[in-house]
Amino acid sequence: MITDMYQHLKDKIGHIMPAPEIRIQAEIAEEVMRLKKERNAVILGHNYMDAALFNSVPDFVGDSLELSRKAAETDADVIVFCGVKFMAETAKILSPEKTVLIPTPKGGCSLAEGITAEDVRALKKRFPGVPVVTYINTYADIKAEVDICCTSGNAKAVIESLGAEKVIFLPDQYLASNVAKETGKRIIFPKDFPKLDSGEITEDDYDMIGWNSSCEVHELFQVSDIERVRKQFPDVAVLAHPECPTEICDASDFTGSTSAMVTWVKNSDAKRFLLMTECAMGDNIAAQVKDQGKEILRLCSQRCPHMAEVTLADTRDALLNMQTEVTVPEEIRVKALKSVQRMLEIGPSGSFTNSFKS
Ligand code: 13P
Ligand code: SF4
């Protein structure tokens, strides 16, 4: 029998998934829809979810900033966060009365795991009075230690909102370098601290202090990847996520958050695109722009192992068994809420960059 869900998925992702597989995924998606209603749940899906999930059950899809906003607004009893743990924690920080579930027991992230609350306390001691910004890709205990959060969609706006001479920006070294470049700030990292101690670098030589974590997916891209594709497809437009090293962003036509990429591709006159970000994004954008005759080159080989843990079947099991529940100790939640709320107050207009270069 051809169900509405089957037909919907066939229309969206029939170009990348064979019909028998779509049939199986559609049946699971229908179960998810039934359970979602029974549990009065809302499903949030990050742009990196696989195509079958992304195009079927989420009530809202988007980047970290958009999903944080949705998590704050919903009146459902249960939030199922199809993403990684730090995202689900942010939802719990904003909606403590709701049950927040993540469809995988792990949902890690190399950025979130690259810094501890003790590291943040040590930085605050070393640079007293300097405001601390953390990328949202951190756990709640880090958010509890800082002044304000940011996402890749509003990092520049958040830094500018502080109006401070110096800023500590954690934990992603590449996002920090890219934002420093964007805002005209000079940045130092922990590797430079010995020079600070010896007097080789002084107070007057830097405006930003970064950390040394990185995204295990975005750090792998090479400028030669872009050069090779440009040679083969001279008309290609290249988009990079700001978690990529600065040389990758410099070699691209646009740098922005995952949702900013979607908007850019939709509005661009180009017909062919290469995305320097997590692979699932390519399929998800392709489904949205194929009617415009636009092609996303499927040359990506960097899948986030943590995002890839979340499937439609896991989402069904999460609702069926009400697991894995994400909790945040109240004392940490209350402190973390301040830095998340402060970010949300900056307003939706904030964006990392709209540096349209072509
Ligand atoms: P955004 O969707 O906010 O751009 O984040 C990308 C990412 O890596 C999330 O883990
Ligand atoms: Fe973390 Fe990178 Fe995966 Fe995003 S893509 S969840 S930043 S490891």
Side-chain angles (χ1 to χ4, degrees), residues 48 84 109-111 137 215-217 243 304 306-307:
Y48 290 163
V84 289
C109 169
S110 64
L111 281 173
N137 295 34
C215 163
E216 67 191 89
V217 177
E243 287 171 15
C304 171
H306 315 292
M307 292 283 184

Side-chain angles (χ1 to χ4, degrees), residues 199-230:
E200 208 180 314
I201 292 178
T202 73
E203 278 278 294
D204 300 333
D205 295 327
Y206 65 93
D207 317 296
M208 258 172 96
I209 301 120
W211 190 244
N212 40 27
S213 301
S214 53
C215 163
E216 67 191 89
V217 177
H218 291 92
E219 72 179 347
L220 297 178
F221 290 111
Q222 306 278 330
V223 173
S224 57
D225 299 333
I226 301 178
E227 287 168 350
R228 213 173 31 250
V229 174
R230 284 204 195 274

Side-chain angles (χ1 to χ4, degrees), residues 65-284:
L65 180 59
E66 291 164 338
L67 295 181
S68 307
R69 288 191 189 286
K70 291 297 172 198
E73 285 162 12
T74 179
D75 55 10
D77 296 323
V78 178
I79 296 174
V80 182
F81 212 121
C82 294
V84 289
K85 191 175 160 206
F86 75 78
M87 296 179 173
E89 270 192 1
T90 307
K92 187 68 184 180
I93 289 166
L94 287 160
S95 303
E97 71 296 349
K98 297 187 200 319
T99 303
V100 177
L101 304 175
I102 182 168
T104 159
K106 291 183 269 169
C109 169
S110 64
L111 281 173
E113 271 128 49
I115 190 160
T116 65
E118 191 44 49
D119 292 330
V120 185
R121 285 192 285 271
L123 281 166
K124 289 198 291 190
K125 209 166 163 194
R126 191 179 246 275
F127 301 98
V130 177
V132 189
V133 180
T134 186
Y135 191 27
I136 201 148
N137 295 34
T138 44
Y139 292 123
D141 57 339
I142 304 297
K143 294 183 173 84
E145 288 288 342
V146 306
D147 297 292
I148 188 164
C149 293
C150 76
T151 71
S152 59
N154 64 10
K156 181 174 175 248
V158 165
I159 290 189
E160 285 172 350
S161 79
L162 296 170
E165 263 181 41
K166 292 194 193 306
V167 176
I168 300 175
F169 188 97
L170 308 171
D172 183 352
Q173 57 175 306
Y174 297 121
L175 179 65
S177 296
N178 290 325
V179 178
K181 195 167 177 209
E182 178 85 4
T183 53
K185 293 189 187 295
R186 297 155 306 162
I187 187 161
I188 57 165
F189 290 97
K191 67 174 169 43
D192 301 312
F193 291 174
K195 288 187 192 160
L196 209 53
D197 295 336
S198 69
E200 208 180 314
I201 292 178
T202 73
E203 278 278 294
D204 300 333
D205 295 327
Y206 65 93
D207 317 296
M208 258 172 96
I209 301 120
W211 190 244
N212 40 27
S213 301
S214 53
C215 163
E216 67 191 89
V217 177
H218 291 92
E219 72 179 347
L220 297 178
F221 290 111
Q222 306 278 330
V223 173
S224 57
D225 299 333
I226 301 178
E227 287 168 350
R228 213 173 31 250
V229 174
R230 284 204 195 274
K231 210 166 167 189
Q232 204 181 343
F233 303 101
D235 61 342
V236 72
V238 182
L239 294 87
H241 192 276
E243 287 171 15
C244 289
T246 306
E247 63 268 23
I248 300 294
C249 299
D250 287 347
S252 302
D253 299 299
F254 175 74
T255 301
S257 79
T258 54
S259 287
M261 286 185 186
V262 178
T263 308
W264 198 86
V265 171
K266 282 184 180 166
N267 294 337
S268 169
D269 291 333
K271 289 287 177 220
R272 209 175 252 146
F273 303 86
L274 176 70
L275 305 180
M276 308 310 278
T277 191
E278 212 279 346
C279 294
M281 260 307 278
D283 291 338
N284 295 336

